[in-house]
Amino acid sequence: MTPNIETLPKVELHIHIEGSLEPELMFALAERNGIQLPYASVEEVRQAYQFSNLQSFLDIYYAGACVLLTAQDFYDMTWAYLLRCQADQVRHTEIFFDPQTHTDRGVPFATVIEGISQALRDGETQLGISSRLILCFLRHLSAEAAMQTLEQALPYRDHLIAVGLDSSETGHPPEKFQAVFDRARAEGFLTVAHAGEEGPPEYIRQALDLLQVKRIDHGVQCIHDPALVDRLVAEQIPLTVCPLSNVKLCVFDRLEQHNLKQLLGRGVCVTVNSDDPAYFGGYIGENFRATQQALNLDQEAIYQLSVNAINAAFLDSAAKHKLQQDLEAWRHTH
Ligand code: HPA
Ligand code: ZN
């Protein structure tokens, strides 16, 4: 029997909010803000979403973010994502944002975080979706710029659970940001990092040892280092895997070749997430559906992926217990 993905209560741990900006909203915000986009239509935007690697995506992704200027813009983008969460039975979501993409264009840090945070509060009260916010540093920029961004964030520390690391991985190892992450942990932030998406297993080791991360974002390249896989299993370090993203960015040629099932079978704490759903062709539900089909995952595997996400969430045990109860109800009615 095929597991019922539609009704599965979900937890998302790897979503860049700027990557949820659909072309329709991009056009609407461009018009509202008097910005000229380099595309004639929504269809033309979608046609441009053919990527050969991470960098080819990032170039288009940063260009798309230029339509975001006001707190209302950040609110509208975040609210649209939360409505998609509601449709996908997402109960809890942990969201990345890239402040430097905006502050480097002259948009104040306060504008960005206030717009996103207001939508997250409304998501909790109006939709019953709990959330956490994670500030990501752009690793292609300097460690000094990351440190300045961290300092800008300190007045908003109550809005933030963790800091992370994203953007161009190759040539920008975690060690570049060791001092920033030391400071972030000293200030009370948890830490995560993108590592082993395109980059080598060594970057995953650095993220664990030097940045002391609680989760690895992507991490699929660990497969080339069996001792590292053993360590991920022993320490139950969660991997926030994004299957459709990995195919779109040519990390795997086809979803059928993805190593998620193999890692899950080895006992790695693997989770399923959407990354940049507006760009990669699917929100978390579609990631679950497509992966279930491509890898022929059974009910037990879908259940385990969901247990992993609950365990990996930055929530207290009472909140995790509630999510677990929801999941058990799903398991027993299907
Ligand atoms: N990798 C690195 N940086 C990113 C990604 C990603 O998949 N999505 C948005 N920023
Ligand atoms: Zn990502």
Side-chain angles (χ1 to χ4, degrees):
M1 199 185 71
T2 311
N4 191 334
I5 300 297
E6 205 171 311
T7 58
L8 179 71
K10 300 173 188 73
V11 169
E12 174 140 76
L13 303 175
H14 185 158
I15 155 83
H16 302 262
I17 199 63
E18 295 90 346
S20 74
L21 182 61
E22 292 285 348
E24 288 80 2
L25 184 56
M26 192 188 292
F27 265 84
L29 296 182
E31 185 159 359
R32 188 157 94 187
N33 291 326
I35 291 169
Q36 191 67 40
L37 284 171
Y39 307 102
S41 66
V42 163
E43 292 69 40
E44 204 180 300
V45 180
R46 287 223 161 81
Q47 273 164 24
Y49 292 175
Q50 313 270 352
F51 312 114
S52 52
N53 55 27
L54 174 58
Q55 192 60 50
S56 65
F57 153 70
L58 289 170
D59 294 341
I60 287 182
Y61 164 78
Y62 294 131
C66 286
V67 301
L68 298 159
L69 291 184
T70 68
Q72 187 69 47
D73 299 339
F74 288 92
Y75 181 97
D76 291 348
M77 172 176 67
T78 307
W79 186 250
Y81 164 68
L82 289 167
L83 291 177
R84 284 305 320 254
C85 282
Q86 184 184 40
D88 265 353
Q89 300 290 327
V90 173
R91 301 286 195 270
H92 175 73
T93 179
E94 302 193 355
I95 296 177
F96 296 126
F97 75 119
D98 290 337
Q100 289 160 293
T101 299
H102 315 299
T103 54
D104 285 2
R105 297 182 289 117
V107 178
F109 187 96
T111 300
V112 179
I113 198 162
E114 283 167 10
I116 296 172
S117 294
Q118 185 60 49
L120 296 182
R121 281 192 294 274
D122 290 350
E124 179 110 42
T125 55
Q126 295 175 33
L127 307 176
I129 299 169
S130 60
S131 56
R132 296 286 183 268
L133 191 54
I134 301 173
L135 184 163
C136 272
F137 302 114
L138 298 182
R139 70 202 305 161
H140 69 277
L141 300 178
S142 69
E144 292 71 29
M147 192 68 94
Q148 283 169 13
T149 302
L150 177 59
E151 278 162 11
Q152 287 180 309
L154 292 179
Y156 299 93
R157 62 206 312 151
D158 294 350
H159 297 262
L160 300 167
I161 188 77
V163 298
L165 197 57
D166 67 2
S167 191
S168 322
E169 186 178 12
T170 307
H172 301 285
E175 65 181 346
K176 176 176 165 186
F177 296 93
Q178 188 171 358
V180 183
F181 275 62
D182 281 347
R183 173 84 192 279
R185 278 184 284 100
E187 296 285 355
F189 295 100
L190 300 173
T191 60
V192 298
H194 283 54
E197 178 183 15
E198 289 183 341
E202 170 60 17
Y203 284 17
I204 300 175
R205 290 181 180 278
Q206 284 186 15
L208 293 170
D209 295 331
L210 305 182
L211 307 186
Q212 297 183 32
V213 298
K214 300 283 188 210
R215 304 194 294 242
I216 295 285
D217 297 310
H218 293 295
V220 291
Q221 301 299 335
C222 70
I223 203 85
H224 303 296
D225 183 342
L228 176 60
V229 175
D230 288 343
R231 178 179 177 188
L232 295 174
V233 173
E235 298 179 19
Q236 281 297 289
I237 307 289
L239 302 187
T240 64
V241 174
C242 307
L244 290 176
S245 163
N246 290 156
V247 174
K248 268 288 195 183
L249 300 188
C250 307
V251 174
F252 297 94
D253 289 338
R254 303 175 64 228
L255 199 49
E256 287 74 9
Q257 291 157 351
H258 201 288
N259 63 15
L260 176 140
K261 189 176 184 177
Q262 195 184 346
L263 292 171
L264 192 65
R266 279 281 286 106
V268 179
C269 181
V270 180
T271 65
V272 169
N273 308 275
S274 69
D275 209 6
D276 300 282
Y279 292 86
F280 299 151
Y283 288 77
I284 187 172
E286 192 51 33
N287 271 273
F288 263 105
R289 261 186 295 279
T291 308
Q292 188 278 323
Q293 279 197 357
L295 302 181
N296 194 23
L297 298 176
D298 61 14
Q299 166 106 352
E300 210 44 38
I302 297 298
Y303 172 76
Q304 187 61 50
L305 288 164
S306 306
V307 169
N308 291 349
I310 295 171
N311 288 337
F314 293 147
L315 286 170
D316 62 26
S317 51
K320 288 187 183 193
H321 183 70
K322 274 199 75 193
L323 292 172
Q324 189 68 42
Q325 281 181 322
D326 247 21
L327 181 59
E328 296 305 329
W330 173 84
R331 189 188 202 185
H332 291 118
T333 48
H334 296 290

